[in-house]
Amino acid sequence: MGAVPLILCVTGPMAAGKNAAASILEQRGYACIDADLAGHKAVENAREKIFGRFAEEAKKRGLSLMNEDGSVNRRALGEVVFSSPQLLQAHEAIVYPETERIIRKFIEENQKDSSIPGVVINAAVLYKTPEILRQVQFVLYVDAPLIMRYFRARKRDGLPTKKILERFASQKNLFAKYQNSNADIQRVWNTGSRRSLEKKILKVLAASAKGKK
């Protein structure tokens, strides 16, 4: 019987390269789940609660939370919930438990497969679901210099400078939030090519595995 797959969290600030890192690991046989996509699914699963809680707030702003096909208009929902800390907290209280359930199910299903080297959770804010973070054994924190991340974000998302800087500010002290976990945490700087990033990732994973023997 093979070893039980390792549970990893791939995280890092905006435009540092965590999606590239997760893709590299997926190509190497790791089972990967994108927490953002799990969150989108959670929103749809909890749409009745969301409509019930935020429909009036949306109406005040001239917005409709429901698309023509009955799904959640996530853009309108975002305008509502990010308008105040209280509304954002109410939204997270609905969505995060369902997101956690989806991720936990993915982990449980793939941990049974000893043929894969590990289960990867691609997530910027996994610290907001502490029950999942407690299961993580290794945190791969992908980072890059701020100026490099700024130009990557401009090229990738086409966002105005103000929006990018707001996103950067919201992720201040992100690394410290993962240092509080019991997982082995390693920072990898993504300043070159994809191949260079891959080499760095494989090096830190090999070193971590060696250190546990």
Side-chain angles (χ1 to χ4, degrees):
M1 183 179 292
V4 175
L6 181 72
I7 302 175
L8 304 90
C9 170
V10 174
T11 190
M14 178 184 182
K18 70 181 182 64
N19 290 341
S23 174
I24 286 167
L25 291 171
E26 189 167 31
Q27 288 180 347
R28 289 193 159 261
Y30 287 75
C32 297
I33 183 169
D34 187 320
D36 284 345
L37 296 181
H40 296 169
K41 184 177 181 181
V43 166
E44 288 305 322
N45 291 352
R47 62 181 176 273
E48 295 305 323
K49 289 182 180 179
I50 288 171
F51 293 151
R53 175 62 181 83
F54 300 109
E56 281 301 314
E57 292 291 340
K59 188 176 180 180
K60 291 176 187 176
R61 294 167 173 78
L63 300 170
S64 173
L65 293 183
M66 187 183 295
N67 291 318
E68 290 184 2
D69 62 359
S71 63
V72 177
N73 182 331
R74 289 191 291 108
R75 183 183 292 274
L77 178 63
E79 286 190 41
V80 172
V81 302
F82 285 109
S83 65
S84 81
Q86 293 77 20
L87 290 173
L88 180 59
Q89 187 175 25
H91 174 259
E92 290 179 348
I94 294 172
V95 175
Y96 278 5
E98 179 61 13
T99 303
E100 192 171 299
R101 185 194 68 79
I102 292 168
I103 294 174
R104 186 184 295 112
K105 182 180 179 183
F106 183 85
I107 292 171
E108 290 172 354
E109 289 174 348
N110 286 281
Q111 268 197 306
K112 298 172 185 177
D113 187 354
S114 59
S115 68
I116 63 173
V119 178
V120 174
I121 308 164
N122 176 3
V125 292
L126 195 66
Y127 65 87
K128 290 191 175 184
T129 52
E131 291 299 321
I132 296 295
L133 186 57
R134 274 193 278 272
Q135 296 184 56
V136 171
Q137 299 150 289
F138 187 93
V139 175
L140 181 67
Y141 191 93
V142 185
D143 210 345
L146 188 144
I147 190 66
M148 185 176 284
R149 294 196 292 114
Y150 169 77
F151 283 111
R152 285 176 182 168
R154 283 293 299 269
K155 183 178 179 180
R156 184 189 69 187
D157 302 326
L159 293 173
T161 297
K162 183 181 177 182
K163 288 288 185 184
I164 293 172
L165 295 181
E166 285 175 353
R167 288 282 300 277
F168 283 3
S170 72
Q171 294 179 331
K172 189 177 180 181
N173 301 321
L174 184 62
F175 185 76
K177 294 182 186 299
Y178 286 96
Q179 285 180 304
N180 295 327
S181 72
N182 294 322
D184 178 12
I185 180 168
Q186 294 293 330
R187 195 179 213 142
V188 171
W189 289 92
N190 177 28
T191 55
S193 66
R194 181 184 173 95
R195 180 57 183 156
S196 173
L197 177 61
E198 182 174 12
K199 287 180 178 178
K200 290 177 181 178
I201 290 171
L202 296 179
K203 183 177 179 180
V204 298
L205 288 176
S208 176
K210 185 177 180 180
K212 290 175 181 175
K213 288 182 180 178

